[in-house]
Amino acid sequence: MELIFVFGSNLAGRHGKGAALHAKKVWGAAPGVGEGLTGRAYALPTKDRKVQTRPLSEIDKAIERFIACAHENQDKFFLLTPVGCGLAGYKARDVGAMVRSKNPPKNVVLSTSWLDHFTPAGGLK
């Protein structure tokens, strides 16, 4: 099975910082692709074309499209990073709740970087 790195992107496809830069350098994310499969990565837009943070309602729709892609590509494992929780500035509990509400398939797994967003009691910050 192919492993796909899922990262927070901007709609302009400028993969210049954080997980997006890593996706470009290591996973083959193509410049100019702000959403969808690109190389061995999936760009999930948390910022707009002007690199401004998108509202949670728009990120929620992007998560929906990502989950649909994962359902359609059962031959791939999708390693989901804490999208929206770094440069976009959202709380992991908010983004995590959106992901859970979409009932992701078993081929979507959380990266260990989500652990940085857990409280000692085991809940998301």
Side-chain angles (χ1 to χ4, degrees), residues 26-43:
V26 177
W27 298 91
V33 179
E35 183 168 11
L37 287 170
T38 171
R40 292 180 299 123
Y42 185 98

Side-chain angles (χ1 to χ4, degrees), residues 4-44:
I4 304 295
F5 182 78
V6 183
F7 66 100
S9 67
N10 58 69
L11 286 171
R14 287 186 220 116
H15 310 312
K17 293 182 181 176
L21 180 60
H22 177 75
K24 181 174 82 172
K25 288 182 173 181
V26 177
W27 298 91
V33 179
E35 183 168 11
L37 287 170
T38 171
R40 292 180 299 123
Y42 185 98
L44 198 155

Side-chain angles (χ1 to χ4, degrees), residues 68-118:
C69 177
H71 276 291
E72 293 167 5
N73 290 278
Q74 292 289 317
D75 60 326
K76 297 172 175 39
F77 273 115
F78 292 87
L79 182 63
L80 180 62
T81 66
V83 295
C85 301
L87 298 172
Y90 286 113
K91 299 272 186 206
R93 69 174 167 256
D94 298 327
V95 177
M98 288 189 296
V99 171
R100 281 191 303 276
S101 76
K102 307 293 182 245
N103 197 22
K106 293 185 189 293
N107 62 329
V108 174
V109 295
L110 299 181
S111 71
T112 58
S113 53
W114 279 95
L115 294 175
D116 296 337
H117 299 281
F118 276 86

Side-chain angles (χ1 to χ4, degrees), residues 46-64:
T46 58
K47 296 199 171 202
D48 64 19
R49 290 193 176 282
K50 295 180 181 178
V51 195
Q52 299 299 308
T53 300
R54 298 175 81 200
L56 280 173
S57 61
E58 291 181 23
I59 295 171
D60 186 59
K61 291 174 187 170
I63 290 171
E64 221 169 86

